[in-house]
Amino acid sequence: MRVTVIGVGRLGEALVAGLCRAGMPADSITVIGRSVERTFEVAHRHGVRVADLRDLPDECDVLVVAVKPQQIEGVLTGLGSALHGSTIRPIVLSVVAGVATDRIEQFLPSVVPVIRAMPNTPMTVGAAITAIAPGAAATEHDLRLVESVLGSVGEVLRVSEDQLDAVTAVSGSGPAYVFLVAEMMIDAAMSLGLDRVTADRLVIGTLAGSSAMLGVGDVDPVELRAAVTSPAGTTAAALEVFERSAIRRTFQQALTVARDRSLELSGMMRPPLERISADQN
């Protein structure tokens, strides 16, 4: 399998690193980036190849688009031109937030399958949770191939594309919620008299250990919470404060707002009509 990654930011490089860790030969991976310096830096760090959007590799099974949303129109315009004049028909895997598969497909030959993915930043440590959704031309074979690529950096699950905005709110933005909890717990720990180093170690260790427990077996989070909560004990006293503060409703509102913003961005990302490829398929 040969993979080309367009975009050498954090997610693009994380995927390259994950593929290398999973045992994919470095000469089977190609990177394409806007910054020549950054592209060669990433290529040198991982031992992979470098190409240009106007000169795609002769063999490419999966072509990952990992650029910023504001850059995708230019990238897809160039990619569409390159693929219309090429015999290669890679799977185009987009990890760009807010851009639907049908909008990506407008720039490409109709025979090119498009799959959209929503990973999250734990990809950088090989612990991502990524949801994928197929476009019109994507087959079961295409989905399995993409799952093998993204599986190198974490867990992969399939959803329908109309669920991806909710996925964005839950897991795409989710790491920031966890980091906010860590930040608030550290601040609270210091207010109780602990020094910063001790507070950091206690909070980060607690969150890491608790997350590990969530991944073991089929134990429900409710059961895990109950197991820590003795009647009338310290944990119960703290949880009562959380419940009185309507924390559940706050989380519901926060995720709903994030979902709605993702929907709004999806609408804003529709390519201008003059950019849509004519039917050259």
Side-chain angles (χ1 to χ4, degrees):
M1 182 167 60
R2 294 183 177 272
V3 176
T4 297
V5 180
I6 302 176
V8 288
R10 290 189 66 190
L11 284 182
E13 183 175 9
L15 181 56
V16 170
L19 291 171
C20 292
R21 281 195 305 268
M24 179 176 285
D27 62 2
S28 297
I29 304 170
T30 302
V31 292
I32 297 173
R34 186 172 62 165
S35 164
V36 174
E37 181 179 356
R38 168 67 180 171
T39 303
F40 276 92
E41 176 189 326
V42 170
H44 177 73
R45 183 156 44 241
H46 302 286
V48 301
R49 302 164 66 192
V50 173
D52 187 274
L53 189 58
R54 295 164 296 184
D55 185 25
L56 294 174
D58 294 333
E59 296 180 13
C60 178
D61 300 299
V62 179
L63 199 159
V64 183
V65 180
V67 300
K68 295 178 180 178
Q70 60 267 33
Q71 297 170 349
I72 193 170
E73 180 184 320
V75 168
L76 289 176
T77 299
L79 181 58
S81 298
L83 291 178
H84 277 300
S86 172
T87 58
I88 67 169
R89 288 293 180 262
I91 302 165
V92 173
L93 170 61
S94 171
V95 297
V96 182
V99 184
T101 56
D102 65 336
R103 296 175 189 176
I104 297 171
E105 289 164 348
Q106 292 178 80
F107 288 88
L108 307 175
S110 62
V111 294
V112 174
V114 174
I115 295 176
R116 182 179 166 196
M118 174 48 63
N120 58 12
T121 54
M123 175 186 282
T124 59
V125 293
I129 179 73
T130 302
I132 62 173
T139 65
E140 175 65 23
H141 172 75
D142 299 330
L143 285 165
R144 289 185 182 275
L145 201 59
V146 163
E147 285 171 335
S148 70
V149 170
L150 293 173
S152 67
V153 291
E155 183 181 351
V156 185
L157 68 156
R158 301 183 190 183
V159 300
S160 59
E161 187 162 13
D162 61 4
Q163 294 178 308
L164 278 177
D165 294 298
V167 169
T168 299
V170 176
S171 60
S173 299
Y177 313 151
V178 176
F179 301 147
L180 178 60
V181 169
E183 177 186 339
M184 292 187 297
M185 285 182 68
I186 290 169
D187 287 345
M190 293 173 64
S191 75
L192 297 178
L194 296 174
D195 62 84
R196 178 60 188 247
V197 173
T198 302
D200 279 357
R201 291 182 63 183
L202 287 172
V203 171
I204 293 170
T206 297
L207 290 176
S210 301
S211 296
M213 290 179 69
L214 282 169
V216 176
D218 297 322
V219 183
D220 189 276
V222 174
E223 296 176 73
L224 290 171
R225 175 173 56 80
V228 184
T229 310
S230 301
T234 58
T235 305
L239 292 178
E240 184 180 350
V241 174
F242 286 136
E243 295 291 0
R244 286 204 308 266
S245 71
I247 192 170
R248 293 177 188 272
R249 187 171 69 224
T250 299
F251 261 95
Q252 177 67 54
Q253 291 172 340
L255 268 64
T256 299
V257 167
R259 188 275 316 273
D260 292 347
R261 179 57 176 161
S262 180
L263 286 166
E264 181 183 351
L265 288 173
S266 297
M268 292 167 60
M269 292 298 172
R270 183 170 295 279
L273 291 176
E274 65 270 22
R275 289 288 189 179
I276 297 176
S277 302
D279 189 7
Q280 308 172 43
N281 307 326

